[in-house]
Amino acid sequence: MSYAIIGFGNVGQALAKAFARKGIEVSVATTRDPESFAPAAAAIGPTVIPKKLADALKADTVFLAVRFESHQDVAKALPTWQGKTIVDVTNAYGVPPEQLGGEPSSRAVAHAFTGARLVKGFNHLVAAVLGQDPAVHGGKRVVFLSSDDDGAAAEIGALAEKLGFSPIKLGGLSEGGLLVHARGNSWGQLIFKDLVKFD
């Protein structure tokens, strides 16, 4: 299984740190030339590999860590996303619900990435918290996952555990998934909740 993070701002770098902590290789890309962010990637760790967008998108699982408004630009980079899993880390705060046809923002992302399996996840924590070691107070930091594809949610749940998090599945995008979606100028009830699970 190969992984890529598209977007290398605060959230993209926080995700890269999670992979680096566990020594799991991950490609990172933006629309810029990889040389421009190679030093930042190297500072995180040797398993964080800067690539051109087209090369990074060869990965099986793609973390979408760009601004919500930019997701369509990334989606246009491939004619089909068949066989890939997209982890939607975007937040559509400030985007009017009418602009999304009243649907959760992840549905709009799913429509853009034709053929992909989509999981909403890793988006409810601010970057500074997401970038920290998820082993806290003798427990594991929670990440929420929602998807209309149970198989994809299970795969990303297993990856979240490998990264040291405790995944909690919220069900479909229009069910529990609404708890981690921004809608217009309001945040879902679980966004910014920093929870720790104890076994």
Side-chain angles (χ1 to χ4, degrees):
M1 190 66 73
S2 54
Y3 305 104
I5 299 165
I6 308 305
F8 204 53
N10 293 341
V11 173
Q13 291 186 38
L15 287 167
K17 285 175 188 169
F19 279 88
R21 257 194 304 274
K22 297 297 181 180
I24 300 170
E25 190 171 296
V26 64
S27 304
V28 293
T30 71
T31 51
R32 292 176 293 136
D33 200 287
E35 281 74 42
S36 67
F37 55 89
I44 294 173
T47 58
V48 179
I49 317 293
K51 290 190 177 176
K52 289 187 169 147
L53 184 61
D55 294 329
L57 292 178
K58 292 174 183 165
D60 305 308
T61 299
V62 175
F63 282 76
L64 191 61
V66 297
R67 292 179 59 220
F68 175 77
E69 293 78 5
S70 305
H71 77 272
Q72 288 176 324
D73 297 333
V74 179
K76 288 174 190 157
L78 289 181
T80 176
W81 293 83
Q82 204 71 43
K84 294 188 184 296
T85 301
I86 300 291
V87 183
D88 178 17
V89 193
T90 68
N91 280 312
Y93 184 79
V95 177
E98 313 78 67
Q99 205 173 306
L100 302 171
E103 291 197 300
S105 59
S106 287
R107 276 275 164 70
V109 174
H111 291 316
F113 288 83
T114 317
R117 304 186 309 157
L118 185 126
V119 179
K120 180 79 170 173
F122 294 87
N123 69 300
H124 85 283
L125 295 169
V126 294
V129 174
L130 183 62
Q132 294 170 17
D133 189 329
V136 278
H137 309 303
K140 292 177 181 174
R141 182 164 275 125
V142 166
V143 289
F144 296 111
L145 304 176
S146 55
S147 180
D148 295 336
D149 184 315
D150 292 342
E155 267 175 40
I156 300 305
L159 173 61
E161 285 178 356
K162 237 193 254 183
L163 295 174
F165 293 93
S166 184
I168 292 181
K169 296 187 185 88
L170 299 177
L173 298 174
S174 298
E175 302 154 12
L178 291 179
L179 296 171
V180 288
H181 273 86
R183 293 177 80 77
N185 291 327
S186 65
W187 293 102
Q189 289 162 297
L190 292 178
I191 288 186
F192 308 132
K193 297 278 189 284
D194 183 13
L195 306 179
V196 177
K197 188 177 177 199
F198 300 93
D199 290 327

